[in-house]
Amino acid sequence: RTTIVKDSPAAQTAIMEYAKFVESKISGSGDAPALIKALPDDRQARSEKYVRANVAGQAFLKNAVTARYPSAGSSAELFIAEYPNPAGAKAALASYKSYEKAGTGLAPAPGIGDEAFSVVDKFAKNVVVAVKGKYCVGVVRAKDMPGALALVKSAVGKLK
């Protein structure tokens, strides 16, 4: 990933030339990884990140892709964490739910994945977290609960 600190037409041209040069040196498939493909399409351009640990500030969430979703709130961020097996994902969900007992309105979110919950967190605002198979999917800092629920449901629906 390359970032332009001071954006300008000349910088955009230079970065695209550099990207084309690097691309010419890389062999193999240029297809996006499966977790990136699972992110809903309306994300902020180039906001995708791979996070190894402390996803959404939680020590029990790891090995995830994240992306920003301005349509769900100015700082809304979705994560999809992949675990070796469904038991690992369920343990992450249970840890998150236990952590959120201090939040307001902790409730099941039926119809999303294998299991899901929603809560209003003091810091992370509207939060929805779900499990589907070996994946733990969630959104933090959403502007409202209906948008958070819809975003997580969309992401869960794209997982295989």
Side-chain angles (χ1 to χ4, degrees):
R1 180 181 222 187
T2 304
T3 303
I4 299 172
V5 175
K6 189 170 183 177
D7 198 10
S8 70
Q12 288 286 336
T13 300
I15 202 77
M16 289 307 295
E17 288 176 9
Y18 176 70
K20 288 176 185 174
F21 170 77
V22 171
E23 179 184 36
S24 73
K25 302 296 180 188
I26 299 172
S27 62
S29 171
D31 207 14
L35 282 182
I36 296 292
K37 288 181 181 180
L39 291 167
D41 295 331
D42 62 332
R43 64 189 173 271
Q44 178 182 327
R46 297 178 296 281
S47 68
E48 307 88 350
K49 293 185 288 185
Y50 179 72
V51 183
R52 297 250 323 137
N54 298 317
V55 177
Q58 306 301 330
F60 46 81
L61 291 175
K62 53 189 170 191
N63 298 322
V65 295
T66 67
R68 297 218 173 225
Y69 286 83
S71 62
S74 61
S75 61
E77 188 169 54
L78 179 93
F79 63 83
I80 302 175
E82 184 175 16
Y83 290 86
N85 53 50
K90 286 182 182 181
L93 181 76
S95 293
Y96 210 140
K97 193 184 292 185
S98 177
Y99 168 79
E100 287 295 358
K101 286 187 178 177
T104 304
L106 179 64
I112 303 176
D114 303 330
E115 181 183 353
F117 73 86
S118 63
V119 66
V120 178
D121 180 271
K122 181 178 178 180
F123 302 105
K125 307 301 177 209
N126 293 293
V127 174
V128 174
V129 182
V131 164
K132 180 177 180 185
K134 64 179 186 172
Y135 302 99
C136 186
V137 181
V139 66
V140 294
R141 298 182 302 278
K143 66 183 172 190
D144 59 51
M145 198 55 76
L149 289 161
L151 182 57
V152 172
K153 188 171 188 172
S154 173
V156 165
K158 293 182 79 172
L159 292 170
K160 295 181 175 150

